[in-house]
């Protein structure tokens, strides 16, 4: 099912058939095959494999394994317990380590065998031609677990005294990044780790990441349902219920207690921009949830009606509170509509995290625009996901551009928060054409 690889090989063969051996019949059959590969990418379900980091510690292992870490690509639907069992079967005298922390020197120099195994997350590495473009989720899914060479593992670390009212306030994340010798998938199921880097993520930065991931998850599932009306509604129900229902939703309250206080600002004045960004990401979640609940209502069954009524009531209260405290964000129609093109194809918008970030920043711009000084500007630009200014969009709706105050923008390229003076812009109709079923 590595159709992306098959497409690459078919292009090489097509050149051979067309320009070297002039086998047009073979070329026709090959192009038909390639068409099915593209169709499979868009329609077929492919399970994503898990990746495991395995460390072999102690002098009891042979030299090619001793005190080294390897990344393994698991089989389809392979659980960590099954992988661990298979691993320990190969080394029956090895002792399984329960901690994911790096071992000390006493374990590395021990005559025994110690095996450490834990799940790592692949870091998506998009090809350059996909960056800052609307790419359907079906295409992106391949790159979430393939063509990867970096993997991360996050471990919570508490700093300072435990706060009984809010454990989130001093919970830091120690994130370790492992870089392998070669990218997956490869000839082997495992490759040695050649580089290890560790960084600490502050509680506030962790909150921003969590909100970004949640917003992207909502937008992705919404776009999938817009594209394919036959999808089951239960995953959408679970996601919406987990965010909207006050019984299980504690995120916003924790953020307010931990970060949105005068005490925190006095102790961390350098975090002002990050706090504003977090507030905007919370506000941005409201229109995304509204779209999800709208789709949920369209696909309603009799059994789900009580849940939907509860979701609607809870969301009404949540939206009222969030909009009062953090402002209102309205998604452009081009990001929530499924339209028909003149050729009969379906125009499918897809919201990537960089677009969501730009939307949240756009909202900040709108809220701080000075009404006293407005001027028309026909050459307005939009910011890229790396904080740079991209060329003006060919297709855009230019509103009356106004001078904005200094806006907080996170630079995705190097994870720095910088202040940029920007003008108000509007998001274009970033769309991609895909064939109808």
């Amino acid at each position: 099912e590595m159709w992306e690889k098959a497409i690459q090989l078919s292009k090489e063969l097509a050149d051979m058939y067309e320009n070297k051996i002039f086998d047009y019949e073979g070329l026709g059959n090959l192009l038909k095959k390639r068409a099915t590969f593209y169709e499979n990418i868009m329609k077929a379900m492919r399970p994503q494999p898990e990746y495991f980091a395995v460390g072999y510690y102690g002098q009891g292992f042979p030299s090619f394994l001793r005190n080294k870490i390897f990344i393994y690509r698991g089989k389809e639907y392979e659980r960590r317990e099954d992988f661990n069992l298979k691993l320990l079967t190969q080394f029956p005298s090895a002792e399984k380590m329960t901690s994911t922390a790096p071992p000390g020197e006493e374990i590395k120099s021990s005559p025994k065998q110690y095996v450490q195994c834990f799940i790592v997350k692949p870091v998506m590495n998009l090809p350059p031609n996909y960056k800052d473009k609307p790419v359907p989720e079906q295409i992106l899914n391949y790159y979430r677990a393939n063509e990867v060479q970096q993997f991360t593992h996050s471990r919570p670390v508490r700093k300072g005294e435990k706060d009984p009212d809010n454990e989130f306030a001093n919970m830091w994340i120690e994130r370790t990044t492992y870089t392998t010798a070669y990218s997956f998938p490869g000839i082997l199921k495992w490759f040695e780790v050649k580089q290890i880097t560790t960084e600490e993520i502050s509680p506030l930065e962790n909150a921003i990441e969590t909100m970004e991931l949640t917003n992207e998850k909502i937008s992705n599932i919404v776009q999938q349902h817009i594209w394919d009306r036959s999808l089951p509604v239960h995953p959408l129900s679970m996601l919406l219920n987990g965010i909207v229902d006050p019984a299980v939703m504690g995120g916003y309250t924790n953020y307010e207690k931990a970060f949105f206080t005068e005490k925190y600002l006095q102790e961390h004045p350098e975090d002002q921009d990050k706090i504003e960004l977090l507030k905007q990401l919370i506000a941005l979640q409201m229109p995304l949830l509204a779209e999800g609940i709208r789709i949920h209502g369209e696909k309603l069954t009799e059994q789900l009606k009580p849940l939907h009524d509860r979701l609607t009531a809870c969301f009404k209260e949540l939206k009222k509170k969030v909009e009062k405290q953090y402002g209102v964000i309205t998604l452009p129609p081009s990001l929530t509509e499924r339209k028909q093109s003149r050729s009969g194809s379906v125009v499918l918008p897809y919201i990537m995290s960089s677009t969501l970030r730009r939307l949240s920043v756009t909202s900040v711009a709108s809220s701080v625009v000075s009404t006293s000084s407005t001027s028309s500007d026909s050459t307005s630009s939009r910011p890229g996901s790396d904080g740079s200014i991209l060329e003006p969009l060919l297709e855009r709706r230019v509103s009356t551009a106004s001078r904005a105050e200094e806006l907080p923008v996170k630079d995705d390229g190097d994870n720095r928060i910088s202040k940029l003076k920007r003008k108000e812009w509007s998001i274009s109709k970033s769309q991609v054409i895909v064939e109808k079923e």
Side-chain angles (χ1 to χ4, degrees):
E1 297 183 344
M2 305 293 290
W3 299 307
E4 287 79 1
K5 296 288 189 185
I7 288 171
Q8 292 176 15
L9 294 174
S10 74
K11 288 179 179 178
E12 293 181 30
L13 283 172
D15 180 63
M16 176 69 71
Y17 285 158
E18 186 173 8
N19 301 314
K20 301 293 194 305
I21 61 176
F22 311 107
D23 181 359
Y24 281 13
E25 187 177 353
L27 177 63
N29 292 331
L30 183 66
L31 293 178
K32 289 175 187 175
K33 264 186 185 175
R34 195 194 300 175
T36 62
F37 297 152
Y38 283 113
E39 190 174 349
N40 288 340
I41 289 172
M42 297 304 294
K43 294 183 179 180
M45 291 291 293
R46 283 186 287 184
Q48 292 186 352
E50 293 275 19
Y51 284 92
F52 306 96
V54 180
Y56 300 95
Y57 301 108
Q59 300 299 312
F61 285 110
S63 58
F64 68 91
L65 292 177
R66 190 182 305 144
N67 295 331
K68 292 181 179 180
I69 302 177
F70 296 82
I71 301 294
Y72 285 75
R73 180 183 171 99
K75 296 179 180 178
E76 292 181 1
Y77 303 111
E78 186 170 25
R79 299 181 306 165
R80 185 166 66 94
E81 294 78 8
D82 298 331
F83 182 81
N84 260 328
L85 185 62
K86 184 173 65 176
L87 200 62
L88 293 173
T89 303
Q90 298 174 5
F91 302 98
S93 59
E95 184 178 329
K96 178 184 172 184
M97 296 175 62
T98 55
S99 173
T100 61
E105 197 59 40
E106 67 279 0
I107 289 182
K108 291 183 178 180
S109 58
S110 169
K112 296 182 179 179
Q113 293 180 343
Y114 295 92
V115 174
Q116 186 183 52
C117 178
F118 49 89
I119 294 175
V120 289
K121 293 183 178 179
V123 178
M124 184 167 67
N125 181 30
L126 272 181
N129 57 315
Y130 286 164
K131 290 181 179 177
D132 287 318
K133 292 177 183 175
V135 184
E137 178 69 11
Q138 298 93 320
I139 297 174
L140 286 181
N141 266 337
Y142 171 79
Y143 294 97
R144 296 190 194 281
N146 299 284
E147 313 298 338
V148 288
Q149 198 170 353
Q150 286 190 323
F151 305 84
T152 62
H153 176 72
S154 299
R155 193 168 63 93
V157 178
R158 189 175 299 282
K159 290 189 176 183
E161 295 183 4
K162 184 177 180 180
D163 186 350
D165 295 328
N166 191 355
E167 297 182 6
F168 189 79
N170 57 2
M171 184 63 75
W172 289 63
I173 299 295
E174 183 185 88
R175 178 166 299 156
T176 305
T177 302
Y178 304 91
T179 305
T180 54
Y182 305 98
S183 63
F184 289 90
I187 295 174
L188 301 177
K189 287 286 186 182
W190 52 276
F191 291 124
E192 183 182 351
V193 172
K194 290 297 185 181
Q195 184 181 357
I196 301 175
T197 57
T198 303
E199 63 175 335
E200 286 188 334
I201 310 296
S202 71
L204 179 55
E205 290 170 337
N206 185 35
I208 290 172
E209 281 190 11
T210 302
M211 286 301 304
E212 286 180 336
L213 289 173
T214 304
N215 287 353
E216 187 172 2
K217 192 182 294 183
I218 300 169
S219 71
N220 288 354
I221 198 167
V222 163
Q223 296 303 319
Q224 289 172 21
H225 279 275
I226 289 174
W227 163 244
D228 188 353
R229 297 291 181 179
S230 65
L231 286 176
V233 74
H234 297 291
L236 178 62
S237 300
M238 292 174 61
L239 179 64
L240 294 175
N241 188 52
I243 297 172
V244 173
D245 194 337
V248 295
M249 186 210 68
Y252 301 157
T253 308
N254 286 336
Y255 298 157
E256 289 167 359
K257 290 179 182 177
F259 311 119
F260 302 162
T261 62
E262 288 296 329
K263 181 183 176 183
Y264 185 88
L265 274 176
Q266 290 173 2
E267 294 176 354
H268 307 276
E270 72 281 359
D271 284 348
Q272 176 67 48
D273 293 344
K274 296 179 184 178
I275 290 173
E276 289 303 317
L277 176 58
L278 180 57
K279 289 179 179 180
Q280 290 304 313
L281 288 170
I282 293 174
L284 177 60
Q285 197 170 92
M286 294 306 102
L288 295 174
L289 287 172
E291 189 68 13
I293 290 175
R294 182 189 67 78
I295 293 173
H296 192 267
E298 290 177 355
K299 306 179 79 170
L300 201 59
T301 61
E302 197 62 37
Q303 292 84 353
L304 286 175
K305 195 174 186 307
L307 172 63
H308 182 75
D309 292 342
R310 178 173 173 77
L311 285 176
T312 305
C314 292
F315 177 68
K316 186 177 180 182
E317 293 297 318
L318 177 65
K319 184 181 177 186
K320 182 179 178 182
K321 175 189 173 186
V322 168
E323 289 185 348
K324 181 180 179 181
Q325 293 182 333
Y326 309 124
V328 179
I329 293 182
T330 303
L331 292 180
S334 59
L335 295 178
T336 55
E337 291 179 0
R338 185 187 188 208
K339 297 181 179 179
Q340 201 83 4
S341 72
R342 276 181 287 181
S343 63
S345 301
V346 173
V347 180
L348 173 66
Y350 172 74
I351 308 178
M352 297 181 68
S353 57
S354 57
T355 307
L356 293 176
R357 169 62 64 80
R358 286 199 294 270
L359 278 171
S360 67
V361 175
T362 304
S363 174
V364 184
S366 301
S367 64
V368 298
V369 165
S370 171
T371 56
S372 60
S373 58
T374 59
S375 62
S376 179
D377 187 353
S378 62
T379 60
S380 61
S381 302
R382 66 187 174 100
S385 63
D386 59 351
S388 61
I389 300 295
L390 302 181
E391 290 300 313
L393 294 164
L394 296 178
E395 180 185 346
R396 68 188 188 277
R397 299 189 303 274
V398 181
S399 60
T400 303
S402 306
R403 288 278 175 190
E405 297 176 6
E406 287 190 339
L407 309 178
V409 181
K410 182 178 176 184
D411 189 328
D412 289 335
D414 54 9
N415 290 329
R416 293 175 305 172
I417 301 294
S418 61
K419 287 186 176 182
L420 299 176
K421 285 190 176 181
R422 297 262 173 85
K423 294 180 179 180
E424 182 185 14
W425 65 83
S426 57
I427 303 298
S428 76
K429 298 179 180 179
S430 299
Q431 298 164 331
V432 63
I433 304 296
V434 293
E435 288 305 313
K436 223 197 239 180
E437 288 185 18

